[in-house]
Amino acid sequence: MAHPLPPAPLAVLPLDTAVAGSKVLIYNEVGSTNTAALRAGIDGAVAIAETQTAGRGRHGRSWHSAPGLGLWFSVALSGPEDGLPFAAALAVRDAVLPWTMLDIKWPNDLLLLGRKVCGVLVEHRDGMSAVGVGLNVHHQPQDFPPDIRESATSLTYGTGGAFDRSVLLREILRAFDRRVLALRDGGYDAIREEWAGLCNMTGRTVRYKDMEAIVTGIN
């Protein structure tokens, strides 16, 4: 299937934020936005790329960053702040809620109709944290590598709607800014509990190797 519309160039719209977006770095191509954000070393710096050549997922996995089809960005923050993965996942969910509902999957994914649409990766270095977000926006199935084609989706493909990446970026950064301010104001427990509740894991039976257990909580 062809793309309904060619992806519009990404622009940074006015943010009106307190932390996220203190400095904005835009790259046509970069190795990793997390690395670029950490290199900036500025609280609230945002590194955005049209494509990554060395995008990272958890456990050293690569992250597919198709040019122009998604949002690939990272926010640098001072200190190894607890709760950043929770805050980022909730912020993406908050921002997309006017268009569609995303489910949070432990530990760092967001799903649309059971398929992965977004991943979050937090890394720490030299007193700074980088919160990386990869959100699939305009992808059609053929845009994904064959090995993830059955498990990944995008906002456009999953909903049939039209999405403006610049608007999505603005709304995610605004929502993330609110969550970061709440964390810095002592709101870790409330954010963790909200995130854990949306994971829908409590009470479920899980298996790992030869062990089986019932989830009573997530930390």
Side-chain angles (χ1 to χ4, degrees):
M1 181 186 297
H3 291 286
L5 293 170
L10 185 62
V12 179
L13 303 178
L15 293 173
D16 303 321
T17 51
V19 179
S22 60
K23 181 179 181 66
V24 178
L25 305 165
I26 303 178
Y27 302 90
N28 184 53
E29 179 180 288
V30 72
S32 161
T33 58
N34 264 17
T35 299
L38 288 168
R39 189 184 299 122
I42 299 170
D43 190 39
V46 180
I48 309 158
E50 283 288 4
T51 185
Q52 300 177 101
T53 58
R56 296 189 291 273
R58 293 181 69 241
H59 304 307
R61 300 186 185 99
S62 62
W63 180 271
H64 178 66
S65 310
L69 298 183
L71 285 176
W72 327 120
F73 68 93
S74 301
V75 183
L77 295 166
S78 297
E81 199 150 17
D82 289 338
L84 290 177
F86 311 147
L90 290 170
V92 174
R93 187 178 184 275
D94 292 346
V96 175
L97 198 55
W99 294 277
T100 189
M101 175 79 74
L102 300 183
D103 297 316
I104 293 178
K105 179 186 177 184
W106 176 91
N108 69 329
D109 295 340
L110 289 103
L111 307 181
L112 174 59
L113 301 176
R115 293 188 174 196
K116 184 171 179 175
V117 72
C118 181
V120 174
L121 178 68
V122 179
E123 297 180 299
H124 309 286
R125 188 182 307 160
D126 299 328
M128 298 292 295
S129 299
V131 183
V133 174
L135 176 63
N136 303 330
V137 181
H138 295 306
H139 298 65
Q140 295 297 319
Q142 69 270 18
D143 296 314
F144 294 111
D147 60 323
I148 63 171
R149 201 164 285 167
E150 297 300 319
S151 60
T153 190
S154 70
L155 294 177
T156 295
Y157 185 73
T159 67
F163 292 87
D164 184 319
R165 290 186 304 149
S166 300
V167 172
L168 285 171
L169 176 64
R170 178 190 66 194
E171 295 309 310
I172 293 170
L173 289 174
R174 284 176 169 176
F176 183 60
D177 192 70
R178 292 191 293 270
R179 297 288 184 171
V180 168
L181 292 177
L183 283 176
R184 292 182 174 183
D185 196 37
Y188 169 81
D189 288 338
I191 286 177
R192 184 197 63 79
E193 289 172 11
E194 182 182 357
W195 173 86
L198 290 170
C199 284
N200 195 29
M201 289 284 288
T202 302
R204 290 176 56 183
T205 300
V206 295
R207 294 174 181 83
Y208 177 71
K209 295 183 179 179
D210 59 347
M211 296 179 290
E212 183 176 291
I214 295 175
V215 178
T216 60
I218 304 175
N219 62 22

